Amino acid sequence: MLLKLCIWMNIPSHYQSAFFQAVEERSDVDLRVVYLNGASSARAAEGWRDTHSYQPFECSAEGTDLLENIDQLVPDWAERIHLISSNFAPDLVDLFCKKGALWCHWSEMPGIRLAELLGYRISLYRLFSPLTLLCKRNEGRRIREHALGAFGQGWLARRAFHTMGISDKTIVDLYYVPAALKPMTPCDHIMEFAAGRKVFLSVGALCKRKGIDILLKSFSRLGTSKWSLVLCGLDKSGGQYQTLAEKLGITDRVLFLGAYPSDRIAEVYSAADVFILSSRFDGWGAVLNEAASLGIPLIATDMCGAAWHLIEDGKNGFRVKGGAVSDLTQNMRVYVKQQQLINGHGRYSKELFFREFTPERNAERLVQGISEFTGGRSIK
């Protein structure tokens, strides 16, 4: 039986393209992907592609009235199962509910707006997040009563769904899974700066949400001249982190690389010894996937969805408490003092990626999840 799917996304993303292609290539799936908006100029400034080459199964709804034009966008939409986040297209979800169309919710853990409102103060976020999720029980009830089920970006999303009143029996994990990166010649700029030193690497925008201040403070406490820190990403701080590095006395060991083109990002990872994601809030964190695919040990905070799945503590890295400088320092120091762990942890990262986090494995997970939601019965 051919499974007819339609996935609704906010914007095109190179992090999702390989997954969608893997779904499309399955003989048991007929796929449509609709983007509500076009390529993001803000993301382009961070190194993403500024255009998107649409595949035959993709289209954009940008600039159209979604409800009025759904028959043109997806002529057989009433016959398809839809994957959609009810957060960014509530009117469309209302239509599916009214018309009895089959749909599944798919999202990261909610809470980014709350975290931003609270200035990414993690202690306050941990206090208020459960209360905010309780206020989302109406959304949870709609998912429970009208959706086939809920796909979540891992354990943090699953936990949030529980608080929203969604039964664990109707939740299936479905991750962000970018394609494996291919090894490239390490970035010359990084190699020249490192000059034989080991490299801690962070990839992502330089902002408070990404915990760059925490990372700089943690690195400064290591007190070693044999390691360097590379920050690859658009600086959104107006130079505040360069100033912080100067105050900490580590400017000779920290490279502010800036944004790097996504199609060459493997050059950056290939220069790294250990990868760090110090975020105060990250629904998933696909950079962990990328680093793991190239066989790099990982350190990430417990506020990153991917950290609960791509890191097996002590085997390929460490999951640390979000916002805790001392905890991050302690785990970075493990690699400083025991460099012999790097190769073994890196091999395990790569093994874990290719076992569980390839686009093909995620496509299989999607089809299996829908089968669970429908009890294996045919959908007409």
Side-chain angles (χ1 to χ4, degrees), residues 333-342:
R333 185 170 283 126
V334 171
Y335 291 112
V336 172
K337 291 187 173 182
Q338 302 179 60
Q339 293 185 18
Q340 71 275 12
L341 294 176
I342 294 174

Side-chain angles (χ1 to χ4, degrees), residues 6-14 16-18 20-21 32-39 52-55 57-64 66 73 88:
C6 184
I7 302 178
W8 299 81
M9 301 296 295
N10 190 17
I11 60 173
S13 167
H14 62 281
Q16 294 286 22
S17 295
F20 295 154
Q21 190 64 48
R32 291 287 292 170
V33 176
V34 183
Y35 299 104
L36 302 185
N37 299 286
H52 180 73
S53 298
Y54 289 91
Q55 300 299 312
F57 58 86
E58 296 178 314
C59 68
S60 173
E62 185 175 23
T64 67
L66 192 58
L73 293 166
F88 61 69

Side-chain angles (χ1 to χ4, degrees), residues 19-27 29-32 56-57 363:
F19 168 50
F20 295 154
Q21 190 64 48
V23 175
E24 163 64 16
E25 290 174 358
R26 290 182 63 101
S27 60
V29 176
D30 174 9
L31 178 66
R32 291 287 292 170
F57 58 86

Side-chain angles (χ1 to χ4, degrees), residues 128-187:
F128 286 105
S129 178
L131 299 176
T132 304
L133 290 171
L134 286 173
C135 295
K136 286 181 168 283
R137 289 184 75 88
N138 284 337
E139 181 182 341
R141 183 172 64 250
R142 180 168 66 172
I143 294 170
R144 188 173 65 245
E145 294 179 353
H146 295 283
L148 291 173
F151 286 105
Q153 298 282 352
W155 184 79
L156 291 182
R158 183 182 289 265
R159 183 180 65 177
F161 293 171
H162 291 166
T163 308
M164 291 167 61
I166 303 171
S167 169
D168 196 58
K169 295 179 180 179
T170 59
I171 302 173
V172 169
D173 293 335
L174 189 67
Y175 313 123
Y176 283 155
V177 286
L181 295 179
K182 296 180 180 179
M184 300 180 75
T185 301
C187 170

Side-chain angles (χ1 to χ4, degrees), residues 111-309:
I112 181 64
R113 298 294 172 249
L114 174 64
E116 183 179 13
L117 179 65
L118 296 174
Y120 297 106
R121 286 171 285 185
I122 295 177
S123 58
L124 289 179
Y125 177 80
R126 295 187 196 276
L127 176 65
F128 286 105
S129 178
L131 299 176
T132 304
L133 290 171
L134 286 173
C135 295
K136 286 181 168 283
R137 289 184 75 88
N138 284 337
E139 181 182 341
R141 183 172 64 250
R142 180 168 66 172
I143 294 170
R144 188 173 65 245
E145 294 179 353
H146 295 283
L148 291 173
F151 286 105
Q153 298 282 352
W155 184 79
L156 291 182
R158 183 182 289 265
R159 183 180 65 177
F161 293 171
H162 291 166
T163 308
M164 291 167 61
I166 303 171
S167 169
D168 196 58
K169 295 179 180 179
T170 59
I171 302 173
V172 169
D173 293 335
L174 189 67
Y175 313 123
Y176 283 155
V177 286
L181 295 179
K182 296 180 180 179
M184 300 180 75
T185 301
C187 170
D188 287 340
H189 194 177
I190 295 176
M191 299 306 291
E192 290 172 5
F193 178 82
R197 296 174 294 188
K198 296 290 185 181
V199 174
F200 286 116
L201 171 68
S202 173
V203 174
L206 275 56
C207 59
K208 187 171 183 179
R209 182 171 73 86
K210 295 291 184 178
I212 301 302
D213 56 320
I214 297 169
L215 179 53
L216 288 168
K217 292 174 183 176
S218 298
F219 179 70
S220 72
R221 291 187 179 185
L222 295 177
T224 177
S225 61
K226 296 181 179 180
W227 283 75
S228 58
L229 172 64
V230 175
L231 302 176
C232 174
L234 180 67
D235 187 354
K236 297 184 176 182
S237 74
Q240 292 181 21
Y241 297 122
Q242 288 93 332
T243 300
L244 176 59
E246 291 174 4
K247 289 181 179 179
L248 294 170
I250 55 175
T251 53
D252 61 326
R253 287 174 282 153
V254 179
L255 173 62
F256 291 86
L257 186 64
Y260 214 82
S262 60
D263 58 352
R264 294 174 47 207
I265 197 66
E267 297 175 1
V268 175
Y269 287 105
S270 295
D273 294 285
V274 175
F275 183 82
I276 301 176
L277 184 59
S278 52
S279 297
R280 290 180 167 92
F281 187 101
D282 241 315
W284 180 252
V287 289
L288 291 179
N289 300 60
E290 291 183 324
S293 76
L294 287 175
I296 303 173
L298 311 173
I299 300 175
T301 73
D302 59 3
M303 295 299 293
C304 305
W308 294 90
H309 300 271

